[in-house]
């Protein structure tokens, strides 16, 4: 017996050692296996930071934890992370793995999950990451249906700090979940189980066609769901749902079918106050909501019954909100909004979603003694939407501060609206405007707006006039701080644009005496461009809507942008298909004049492109350097030049997120010509003067200079050009780069006034290094060749006083070839000394 206990003890010790050591012995292999197999199955980048396996810490539970898990897209989604998680943990009963009754999963915990789902305009989705696999057909074995169903019992499922972004660019739908926590428990091994679900969401946002249906709403739910897993039928009971301040329950059931979903659901709202309804208005819910005083009768009902089959078949549904004689008032303010009456209904008899009917009538209220009413009726939203909308009343904007806490805002003015429109979308699409009834106007008088950290806005008078065919904005001057803009415009197809997103066409005349763009940009942290050059204005990409077709005439006396100043800006702009075409856009800047023809192309979701040609007249070198970052990068020599230049150039470049050119990919060409150019501050010219031992050349003025150039691969390549430095003539060509490097070659023609040195004719030179530290030198290989030529003719030897006045024939006959070579080296060294 003692021997038996020893053997048993030894076995127990071995088992314990295995439980402790196996996870560590095989951890690396398991980790590698998961990564390899995961990446084999996925058309995406899959990885995690750490894998932790434990068989003993919670025995008989075995736990597996993945830390810092992520799944990144490829191709069009290579910069997007589809899923990221701080920690994913699963705990399984080890003993259940050895039995035949199924797997007992104690808990699954997902912590710190972030999901970003994207649908591109071409319907491509970023979650389609599984690789296609070809499976050989196999003969199916008959299934033994007498065996018991495999059981998985989930005791606890936890979702912590879950964040989701759903960005559907195809249907213009956007949803966001911020900080969702959820727990769920149930026995999924049984054919029927009770699921317990508790969830809370700090912020839920949902937009469709840029209309916000929910904006940062708080949601929580406690639900018991009677789940018939065999028939996929789920009945709701004892559940509570909270949406901001609204508390309700849903009674009924949902069943999943082969074709979609069957349902019979009804909202059980019991009692809802008007204050609960107001909690759905973000601006009200965010401002002293607890102390808000309300009154009025409210009825909210909703149901859905029938079948849903994809997007083609909808269940019968009805949602009705009825508010009678309601009011609200903030206790700290002297006035409120009263006589609020709302009857809103959305319903569908079941079947096509095109049968949906929306009615909002009435929607009336009285604010500061001024009544205002709105009505909306929509039918057949998918096929040929009919619409009947109206708005009538006055709003005294100066009274809003007595009703709603505006904090540091001052608002005044009177809004007077009286407009009505009804018709069908097909009338607009076929331009049968005579069948559309649309008339009325919206007037704005004496409007002023003052807000902290923003320039004041002042609109003295503005009138929008509506007709079936067009909307006209009469000449309106808007003063924004020290800026003024005057609009005179006419827009066609405004109904199709507002109701269905079709193209808005129109003409727009814009005038201004002074317009400072810096007032409308956000200042960011200073970004260093060079040691002494900084940009302080941040600007995001300006996308051009593709459903805009404008013909604009601009007339700006003065425009300020960053540290640049434009004067007398005139020209025509054509905005169409996500593109702005500039037609003979003329302006004065940098001390001279510029005429621009070209385009800016930036549809939503694409990289902006800029392609334009410029005619330049008398631009000041120094101002071009100070105002333009592209000049500071590609032509820093401008900082040392005095004078002006004219010419023409064309560029084609992508723009980055700050609307700056991507210089490494910019292409272009052009030519510049100058008059009376001073080179006295150009470092490499000073170095050339030192080499030639002519200090007077450091203060050189060039009367005429013509330079042709090409921009490619982040470098500016210049065609050969001539610079006259006094009696010396220098011919140069080469490239300069984004890294400020110089790679130039050239030749200097030595004048006869230089004396005996002029016998050399021309001397080849190189200019390297950078603009701040150039390296100017003589091409010694070329100089040696010239010296050899002179030696062969005995001319250079006489010039330097090293000859014996013998004729070429005598010299040639008396010297061996070795002596000639020695003499050529000697002559080369003497010539080289001239340029030290």
């Amino acid at each position: 017996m003692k021997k038996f206990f020893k053997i048993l003890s030894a076995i127990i010790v071995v088992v314990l050692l295995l439980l402790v050591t196996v996870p560590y012995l095989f951890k690396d292999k398991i980790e590698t296996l998961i990564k390899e197999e995961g990446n084999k199955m996925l058309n995406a980048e899959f990885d995690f930071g750490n894998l932790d396996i434990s068989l003993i810490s919670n025995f008989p539970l075995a736990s597996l934890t993945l830390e810092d898990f992520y799944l990144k897209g490829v191709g069009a989604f290579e910069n997007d992370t589809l899923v990221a998680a701080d920690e994913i943990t699963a705990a399984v009963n080890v003993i259940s793995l050895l039995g035949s009754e199924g797997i007992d999963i104690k808990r699954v915990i997902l912590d710190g999950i972030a999901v970003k789902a994207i649908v591109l305009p071409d319907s491509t989705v970023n979650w389609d990451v599984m690789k296609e696999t070809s499976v050989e057909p196999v003969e199916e074995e008959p299934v033994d249906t007498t065996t018991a169903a495999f059981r998985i019992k989930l005791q606890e499922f936890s979702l912590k700090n879950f964040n989701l972004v759903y960005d559907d660019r195809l249907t213009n739908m956007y949803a966001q979940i911020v900080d969702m926590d959820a727990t769920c428990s149930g026995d999924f091994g049984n054919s029927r189980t009770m699921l317990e679900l508790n969830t809370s969401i700090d912020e839920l946002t949902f937009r469709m066609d840029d209309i916000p249906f929910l904006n940062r709403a708080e949601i929580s739910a406690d639900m018991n769901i009677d789940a018939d897993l065999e028939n996929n039928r789920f009945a709701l009971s004892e559940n509570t749902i909270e949406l901001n301040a609204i508390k309700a329950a849903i009674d009924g059931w949902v069943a999943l079918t082969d074709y979609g979903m069957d349902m019979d659901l009804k909202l059980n709202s019991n009692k809802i106050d008007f204050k609960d309804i107001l909690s759905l208005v973000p601006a009200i819910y965010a401002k002293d909501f607890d102390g808000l005083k309300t009154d009025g009768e409210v009825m909210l009902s909703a149901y859905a019954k029938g079948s849903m089959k994809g997007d083609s078949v909808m269940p019968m549904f009805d949602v009705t909100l009825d508010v009678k004689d309601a009011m609200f008032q903030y206790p700290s303010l002297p006035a409120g909004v009263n006589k609020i009456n709302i009857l809103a209904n959305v319903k569908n008899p079941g079947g096509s979603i095109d049968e949906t009917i929306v009615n909002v009538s009435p929607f009336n209220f009285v604010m500061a003694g001024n009544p205002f009413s709105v009505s909306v009726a929509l039918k057949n939203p998918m096929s040929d939407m009919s619409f009947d909308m109206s708005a009538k009343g006055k709003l005294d904007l100066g009274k809003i501060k007595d009703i709603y806490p505006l904090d540091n805002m001052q608002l005044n003015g009177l809004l007077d609206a009286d407009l009505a429109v009804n018709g069908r979308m097909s009338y607009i699409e076929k331009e049968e405007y005579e069948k559309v009834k649309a008339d009325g106007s919206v007037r704005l008088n004496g409007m002023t707006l003052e807000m902290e950290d923003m320039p004041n806005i002042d609109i003295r008078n503005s009138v929008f006039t509506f007709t079936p065919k067009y909307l006209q904005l009469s000449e309106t001057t808007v003063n924004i701080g020290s800026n003024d803009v005057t609009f005179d415009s006419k827009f066609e197809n405004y109904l199709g644009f507002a109701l269905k997103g079709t193209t808005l066409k129109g003409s727009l005349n814009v005038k201004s005496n002074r317009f400072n763009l810096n007032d409308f940009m956000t200042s960011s942290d200073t970004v260093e461009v060079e040691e002494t050059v900084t940009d302080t204005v941040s600007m995001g990409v300006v996308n051009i809507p593709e459903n805009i077709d404008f013909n604009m005439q601009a007339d700006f006396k003065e425009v300020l942008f960053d540290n640049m100043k434009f004067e007398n800006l005139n020209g025509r702009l054509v905005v169409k298909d996500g593109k702005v075409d500039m037609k003979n856009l003329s302006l004065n800047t940098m001390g001279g004049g510029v005429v621009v023809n070209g385009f800016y192309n930036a549809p939503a979701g694409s990289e902006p492109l800029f392609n334009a040609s410029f005619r330049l007249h008398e631009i000041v070198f120094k101002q071009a350097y100070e105002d333009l970052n592209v000049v500071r990068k590609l032509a820093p020599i401008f900082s040392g030049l005095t004078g002006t230049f004219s010419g023409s150039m064309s560029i084609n470049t992508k723009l980055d997120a700050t609307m700056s050119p991507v210089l490494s990919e910019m292409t272009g060409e052009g030519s510049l010509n100058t008059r009376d150019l001073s080179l006295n501050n150009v470092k490499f010219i000073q170095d050339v003067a030192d080499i030639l031992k002519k200090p007077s050349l450091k203060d050189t003025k060039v009367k005429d200079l013509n330079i042709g150039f090409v921009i490619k691969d982040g470098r500016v390549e210049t065609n050969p050009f001539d610079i006259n430095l006094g009696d010396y003539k220098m011919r140069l060509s080469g490239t300069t780069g984004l890294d400020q490097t110089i790679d130039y070659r050239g030749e200097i023609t030595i004048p006869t006034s230089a004396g005996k040195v002029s016998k050399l004719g021309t001397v080849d030179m190189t200019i390297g290094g950078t603009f701040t530290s150039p390296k100017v030198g003589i091409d010694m290989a070329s100089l040696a060749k010239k010296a050899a030529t002179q030696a062969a003719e005995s001319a250079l030897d006489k010039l330097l006083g090293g000859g014996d006045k013998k004729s070429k024939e005598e010299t040639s006959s008396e010297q061996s070839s070795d002596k000639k070579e020695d003499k050529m080296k000697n002559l080369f060294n003497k010539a080289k000394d001239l340029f030290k």
Side-chain angles (χ1 to χ4, degrees):
M1 182 63 70
K2 183 185 288 187
K3 186 176 181 180
F4 170 78
F5 279 112
K6 285 184 178 180
I7 295 173
L8 180 62
S9 299
I11 292 173
I12 293 173
V13 170
V14 170
V15 170
L16 289 175
L17 286 173
L18 287 174
L19 290 174
V20 173
T21 60
V22 163
Y24 296 99
L25 291 174
F26 296 98
K27 175 184 174 182
D28 291 341
K29 290 186 178 180
I30 295 174
E31 183 175 328
T32 302
L33 180 64
I34 293 175
K35 291 182 180 181
E36 289 180 350
E37 293 302 317
N39 282 295
K40 284 180 182 178
M41 295 186 296
L42 298 170
N43 185 28
E45 183 183 345
F46 159 72
D47 203 353
F48 52 87
N50 185 48
L51 170 69
D52 183 58
I53 305 172
S54 176
L55 298 176
I56 196 171
S57 58
N58 295 298
F59 190 81
L61 298 179
S63 64
L64 184 147
T65 301
L66 292 180
E67 296 177 352
D68 300 326
F69 167 91
Y70 70 82
L71 184 64
K72 292 183 179 180
V74 295
F77 303 105
E78 63 180 345
N79 295 321
D80 294 311
T81 300
L82 174 60
V83 182
D86 294 339
E87 187 176 294
I88 300 176
T89 299
V92 182
N93 189 318
V94 177
I95 297 176
S96 71
L97 298 175
L98 305 176
S100 59
E101 297 183 359
I103 299 176
D104 184 2
I105 302 176
K106 180 66 176 177
R107 69 178 65 90
V108 173
I109 302 172
L110 306 181
D111 192 0
I113 305 293
V115 178
K116 186 176 182 180
I118 301 174
V119 183
L120 295 180
D122 62 359
S123 76
T124 305
V125 298
N126 70 333
W127 60 82
D128 185 14
V129 296
M130 298 299 295
K131 291 181 178 177
E132 294 184 5
T133 55
S134 56
V135 181
E136 294 291 334
V138 294
E139 186 176 345
E140 294 186 359
E141 296 284 342
V143 179
D144 184 4
T145 57
T146 61
T147 16
F150 185 75
R151 182 176 67 86
I152 297 178
K153 182 179 180 182
L154 176 63
Q155 296 185 9
E156 181 182 344
F157 173 84
S158 295
L159 195 62
K160 299 179 180 179
N161 191 26
F162 175 78
N163 293 272
L164 166 71
V165 170
Y166 176 74
D167 185 4
D168 189 339
R169 301 167 191 174
L170 176 64
T171 61
N172 197 16
M173 185 186 301
Y174 179 87
Q176 182 177 19
I177 293 174
V178 177
D179 287 341
M180 174 181 176
D181 293 335
T183 59
C184 179
S185 62
D187 187 351
F188 290 92
N190 291 331
S191 60
R192 189 159 187 165
T193 185
M194 182 65 72
L195 300 178
E196 296 182 7
L197 174 65
N198 305 97
T199 184
S200 66
I201 299 174
D202 285 357
E203 295 180 10
L204 174 62
T205 298
F206 177 72
R207 297 193 300 267
M208 181 179 290
D209 292 327
D210 297 323
I211 299 173
F213 290 89
L214 290 173
N215 186 21
R216 303 174 67 179
E218 295 181 29
I219 294 180
S220 64
D222 293 324
M223 309 181 76
N224 292 325
I225 303 173
D226 185 1
D228 182 352
L229 300 178
E230 185 173 355
N231 298 303
N232 289 324
R233 190 177 188 276
F234 304 89
L236 304 174
S237 62
E238 298 182 13
N239 63 86
T240 302
I241 299 173
E242 296 185 26
L243 174 59
N244 285 349
I246 295 178
K247 294 183 180 181
I250 297 178
D251 298 328
W253 55 269
V254 174
L256 304 180
T257 64
D258 293 338
Y259 53 79
M261 184 186 300
D262 293 338
M263 66 188 72
D264 186 357
L265 299 171
K266 182 180 180 181
L267 180 70
N268 181 6
S269 57
N270 293 325
K271 181 182 178 182
I272 293 180
D273 296 328
F274 184 57
K275 185 175 182 178
D276 301 335
I277 300 298
L278 287 178
S279 73
L280 298 180
V281 182
I284 294 179
Y285 190 60
K287 289 276 189 179
D288 304 327
F289 183 76
D290 292 339
L292 189 68
K293 178 183 177 182
T294 64
D295 196 7
E297 298 180 16
V298 178
M299 189 276 290
L300 176 64
S301 64
Y303 71 84
K305 186 175 182 178
S307 299
M308 177 183 290
K309 300 177 182 179
D311 296 331
S312 58
V313 177
M314 301 295 293
M316 176 174 61
F317 64 84
D318 188 299
V319 180
T320 300
L321 172 65
D322 190 1
V323 178
K324 294 181 179 178
D325 200 23
M327 59 81 64
F328 72 88
Q329 182 177 353
Y330 286 90
S332 60
L333 297 178
V337 179
N338 53 32
K339 297 184 180 180
I340 302 171
N341 292 279
I342 306 171
L343 180 57
N345 176 255
V346 181
K347 63 181 180 181
N348 187 299
S352 172
I353 192 173
D354 192 46
E355 298 298 318
T356 302
I357 299 173
V358 178
N359 269 301
V360 180
S361 180
F363 179 8
N364 302 331
F365 61 89
V366 176
M367 188 180 81
N370 293 316
F372 203 94
S373 65
V374 177
S375 67
V376 177
L378 304 175
K379 295 180 181 179
N380 306 119
M382 305 304 294
S383 60
D384 183 14
M385 184 172 68
S386 68
F387 50 87
D388 188 352
M389 299 176 287
S390 66
K392 185 174 183 178
K394 297 181 179 181
L395 294 177
D396 188 344
L397 304 180
K399 297 292 185 181
I400 292 179
K401 66 180 183 301
D402 297 333
I403 296 167
Y404 183 81
L406 295 179
D407 296 332
N408 296 319
M409 179 192 300
Q410 293 292 327
L411 180 63
N412 288 288
L414 182 65
L415 176 70
D416 188 350
D418 186 1
L419 58 98
V421 56
N422 67 70
R424 303 191 73 90
M425 283 303 305
S426 59
Y427 302 158
I428 297 170
E429 292 168 351
K430 296 175 183 178
E431 297 186 357
E432 298 174 342
Y433 298 110
E434 69 280 359
K435 295 183 180 181
V436 179
K437 179 185 177 183
D439 54 45
S441 63
V442 176
R443 297 176 178 270
L444 190 60
N445 294 310
M447 177 183 168
T448 59
L449 174 62
E450 299 179 14
M451 293 182 66
E452 189 175 0
D453 299 326
M454 281 188 61
N456 296 340
I457 298 176
D458 185 354
I459 304 175
R460 289 302 172 195
N461 185 53
S462 180
V463 180
F464 278 97
T465 303
F466 296 82
T467 73
K469 190 173 182 178
Y470 63 83
L471 179 155
Q472 184 163 354
L473 173 64
S474 302
E475 187 166 307
T476 299
T477 298
V478 180
N479 293 298
I480 307 173
S482 60
N483 307 290
D484 67 276
V485 186
T486 299
F487 300 96
D488 185 6
S489 58
K490 187 175 181 179
F491 303 109
E492 298 178 1
N493 192 41
Y494 68 95
L495 290 172
F497 176 77
L499 298 176
K500 209 166 182 178
T502 54
T503 300
L504 178 65
K505 300 179 180 180
S507 59
L508 178 62
N509 297 321
V510 186
K511 300 178 182 179
S512 176
N513 292 309
R514 183 182 187 276
F515 201 72
N516 188 351
L517 288 169
N518 299 321
D519 291 344
F520 306 96
M521 298 179 186
T522 55
S523 296
S524 63
D525 293 337
T526 298
V527 179
E528 291 192 2
V529 179
E530 297 178 31
E531 291 184 5
T532 58
V533 180
T534 58
D535 288 338
T536 56
V537 177
S538 89
M539 183 176 183
V541 171
V542 179
N543 291 117
I544 309 299
E546 294 182 71
N547 57 346
I548 296 290
D549 185 355
F550 283 176
N551 197 322
M552 302 174 60
Q553 189 68 39
D555 182 5
F556 287 79
K557 302 303 181 187
E558 181 182 81
V559 177
L560 303 176
F561 173 62
D562 200 0
N563 59 340
M564 296 190 68
K565 182 178 180 180
F566 307 100
E567 295 178 325
N568 300 321
L569 189 153
N570 289 277
R572 189 162 67 96
L573 303 175
V574 178
V575 183
K576 189 175 182 179
D577 299 328
K579 181 179 175 183
V580 179
D581 281 301
M582 294 162 280
K583 309 285 188 180
N584 291 322
L585 189 66
S586 63
L587 54 109
N588 296 326
T589 186
M590 296 176 287
V594 180
V595 177
V596 185
N597 283 279
F599 66 82
Y600 169 76
N601 190 20
S606 67
E607 286 185 314
L609 300 174
F610 183 73
N611 186 311
S613 62
F614 302 85
R615 294 202 310 269
L616 310 170
H617 179 68
E618 299 294 329
I619 303 297
V620 177
F621 279 105
K622 187 172 180 60
Q623 273 193 254
Y625 175 82
E626 292 175 350
D627 291 352
L628 297 176
N629 181 50
V630 64
V631 172
R632 296 196 295 269
K633 287 285 188 178
L634 289 175
I637 190 175
F638 278 33
S639 65
L641 301 179
T642 59
T644 63
F645 65 91
S646 300
S648 63
M649 65 179 295
S650 63
I651 61 171
N652 183 15
T653 181
K654 295 179 182 178
L655 303 179
D656 63 20
T658 63
M659 295 289 285
S660 297
V662 181
L663 300 179
S664 59
E665 300 182 33
M666 177 189 289
T667 60
E669 61 181 358
S671 63
L672 303 178
N673 57 79
T674 70
R675 289 185 302 171
D676 299 325
L677 175 66
S678 175
L679 303 176
N680 60 329
N681 291 321
V682 179
K683 183 67 168 62
F684 79 82
I685 294 294
Q686 294 176 352
D687 290 350
V688 170
D690 289 338
I691 288 176
L692 296 175
K693 300 178 181 178
K694 291 286 184 180
S696 61
L697 298 181
K698 295 182 179 181
D699 188 16
T700 297
K701 292 187 181 298
V702 180
K703 185 175 182 181
D704 297 304
L705 179 62
N706 295 288
I707 303 176
F709 62 89
V710 174
I711 303 173
K712 186 179 180 180
D713 299 328
R715 298 192 72 83
V716 178
E717 180 179 349
T718 56
N719 300 330
F721 61 95
D722 296 327
I723 298 178
N724 294 320
L725 303 176
D727 294 336
Y728 290 78
K729 183 177 181 181
M730 184 164 59
R731 186 170 181 80
L732 294 173
S733 65
T735 67
T736 60
L738 284 171
D739 54 1
Q740 311 293 294
T741 57
I742 309 171
D743 184 10
Y744 265 73
R745 300 190 68 83
E747 59 183 26
I748 300 176
T749 301
I750 309 298
T752 57
S753 61
K756 296 179 180 181
V757 181
S758 64
K759 297 297 184 179
L760 290 174
T762 60
V763 176
D764 294 335
M765 63 181 298
T766 60
I767 305 175
T770 65
F771 280 99
T772 56
S773 181
K775 291 181 170 46
V776 179
I778 300 301
D779 188 335
M780 292 304 175
S782 173
L783 186 61
K785 185 177 180 180
K786 291 180 183 295
T789 302
Q790 292 291 337
E793 297 175 354
S794 300
L796 184 58
D797 186 31
K798 293 178 181 180
L799 170 67
L800 300 175
D804 54 33
K805 298 184 180 181
K806 291 184 179 180
S807 66
K808 292 181 182 178
E809 291 81 9
E810 291 173 327
T811 303
S812 177
S813 63
E814 292 177 0
Q815 293 180 324
S816 66
S817 60
D818 291 339
K819 289 182 179 180
K820 286 182 181 180
E821 185 177 346
D822 291 340
K823 187 171 184 179
M824 282 187 286
K825 288 182 180 178
N826 183 45
L827 296 176
F828 165 67
N829 290 330
K830 289 183 178 182
K832 185 173 65 173
D833 290 340
L834 289 174
F835 297 96
K836 285 187 176 180

